[in-house]
Amino acid sequence: MQELTFRVQRYNPGENKEPYLQEFTIPSSQGMTVLDGLIYIKENVDNTLSFRSSCRMGICGSCGMLINNFPMLACHSPVEELKTDRIEVRSLPNFPVIRDLVPSLDPLFAKHKSIKPYIIGPDMKEVEAPTSEYSQSREELEAYVQFAYCVKCGLCMAACPSVATDSLFLGPQPLGQAYRYCADRRDIGAKERFHVADSPHGIWLCHLAGACSEACPKGVDPALAIQLLKRAMVSDSLRLRKKKKPASLAQPPATSKPKIDVPEFTVTQ
Ligand code: FES
C-alpha cells in the first residue's frame, strides 16, 4: 500500500514557544482527502492532534488550513490532486493560532460584523417581522448572488498579502460582503458601509493582488467585489451614483391553500 508523509504543524501555547512540524507516515487510500489523513492520525497515531472540521463536504468552512503552502479546505482537498506524497499542513496564516491547526477566526468575525452584514431596509419592521416577500428580478439577484456564497472560512484573508502586512486591514471577506449587501436592491445601508470601508485600514489598502479570489473554495470573487465597491464609493462621493429603486413587496400570500389535484394511484392492490 502506498504511504503518505504528513508534516503537520504542532503548537500548544502552554508548552511550546514556537510552532514546529511533526512528521507522520500513514497509509493512503483511494479518494482520501487531507482531512481524512488528519483524522487517521488523530484516531490511530496521536489523539492530541487538534484541528477543526464539521460538515466534511466543503460547506461549513471550518477546515481551512495551509496545505502545501496554499490556503485550502482540508475536506475539499483530495490527496491525489496534490500530486505528491509529501503533504505539509499548517494553520491558516494571518490568524492567531489557538492550538496545532486551529486558528482563531475571531478577527475575521469582528471585521465581518463591522460592515453590517445584513439587510438594512427602508422599513426595518418589515425586515425583522416580514409580512410578505420582496419581489426580485433575475438581474437584481445576479447583481449580488455569487458574493452570497461566502462560507466565512477565512481562506481569502489567509491568502491576502495586504492582511499579512496590516492585520487591521478589513480584508477581502468583509469588503466582499459589504459589496454583497450594497448591491442588494432590498438594502439602503450602503452609506453606512462606505463609511466603514473608507477608513485608514479600509478598502484603499487593497492593491488587487487577486490572491483572495484564487483561494476562495466557493468560486466567490472578492477581488471583483472590492473593485465594484470602490467604484460605488467614488461614484457616490462625486454624486454620480445611480439611486436604486427600492424593492417592493410581493403580493401577500394567499390565505387559503390552493387546491392541488392528487393523481390517481398507479398501483392497485
Ligand atoms: Fe466543513 Fe471542511 S469540514 S468545509
Side-chain angles (χ1 to χ4, degrees):
M1 186 183 285
Q2 205 193 329
E3 291 193 325
L4 295 169
T5 304
F6 269 64
R7 284 164 57 80
V8 182
Q9 174 178 310
R10 305 303 306 266
Y11 177 61
N12 180 348
E15 289 175 10
N16 318 117
K17 276 196 184 139
E18 295 289 332
Y20 64 97
L21 291 172
Q22 187 176 5
E23 202 164 290
F24 300 93
T25 303
I26 62 167
S28 77
S29 55
Q30 205 181 4
M32 185 181 197
T33 63
V34 173
L35 182 61
D36 292 333
L38 295 173
I39 291 170
Y40 181 92
I41 295 168
K42 190 169 178 74
E43 288 180 350
N44 300 284
V45 189
D46 184 344
N47 64 9
T48 65
L49 179 63
S50 301
F51 54 89
R52 201 186 270 134
S53 73
S54 181
C55 70
R56 301 190 193 184
M57 53 177 74
I59 291 172
C60 71
S62 59
C63 66
M65 301 172 192
L66 193 73
I67 299 170
N68 284 357
N69 252 339
F70 196 80
M72 297 191 228
L73 294 180
C75 72
H76 216 44
S77 303
V79 165
E80 208 179 317
E81 286 182 11
L82 298 174
K83 308 269 182 241
T84 174
D85 54 6
R86 292 184 67 80
I87 298 159
E88 191 174 293
V89 193
R90 294 175 184 261
S91 178
L92 277 185
N94 302 342
F95 290 103
V97 186
I98 296 173
R99 187 169 170 147
D100 295 341
L101 300 170
V102 183
S104 165
L105 297 181
D106 289 355
L108 165 67
F109 297 140
K111 290 173 186 176
H112 182 240
K113 206 171 154 192
S114 76
I115 59 91
K116 303 180 194 285
Y118 41 82
I119 299 286
I120 301 172
D123 179 358
M124 285 310 281
K125 268 195 196 153
E126 179 61 35
V127 173
E128 279 155 23
T131 56
S132 185
E133 293 179 347
Y134 284 101
S135 58
Q136 203 163 48
S137 70
R138 174 184 281 263
E139 290 72 31
E140 287 162 358
L141 176 70
E142 283 173 356
Y144 71 83
V145 73
Q146 76 124 312
F147 307 115
Y149 292 137
C150 171
V151 293
K152 300 165 201 72
C153 59
L155 298 196
C156 58
M157 304 289 276
C160 175
S162 298
V163 178
T165 52
D166 178 0
S167 61
L168 297 179
F169 170 45
L170 272 174
Q173 193 279 343
L175 288 169
Q177 291 309 291
Y179 180 74
R180 175 255 174 272
Y181 286 96
C182 291
D184 192 318
R185 204 164 67 89
R186 296 167 295 179
D187 183 273
I188 56 160
K191 291 251 188 207
E192 295 178 41
R193 299 192 190 93
F194 291 172
H195 181 70
V196 180
D198 188 18
S199 64
H201 300 284
I203 195 162
W204 311 113
L205 292 184
C206 168
H207 51 79
L208 195 52
C212 51
S213 300
E214 213 174 308
C216 178
K218 305 306 286 183
V220 179
D221 189 348
L224 171 65
I226 293 173
Q227 299 319 300
L228 294 172
L229 185 62
K230 280 180 182 169
R231 184 173 71 177
M233 289 168 68
V234 171
S235 307
D236 188 69
S237 69
L238 297 173
R239 298 181 197 282
L240 297 173
R241 188 161 180 260
K242 283 191 202 147
K243 275 211 162 163
K244 281 187 294 186
K245 208 169 128 224
S248 52
L249 283 180
Q251 289 296 317
T255 44
S256 61
K257 285 188 181 166
K259 191 172 173 315
I260 300 168
D261 288 332
V262 181
E264 292 289 319
F265 283 109
T266 49
V267 178
T268 51
Q269 287 183 343

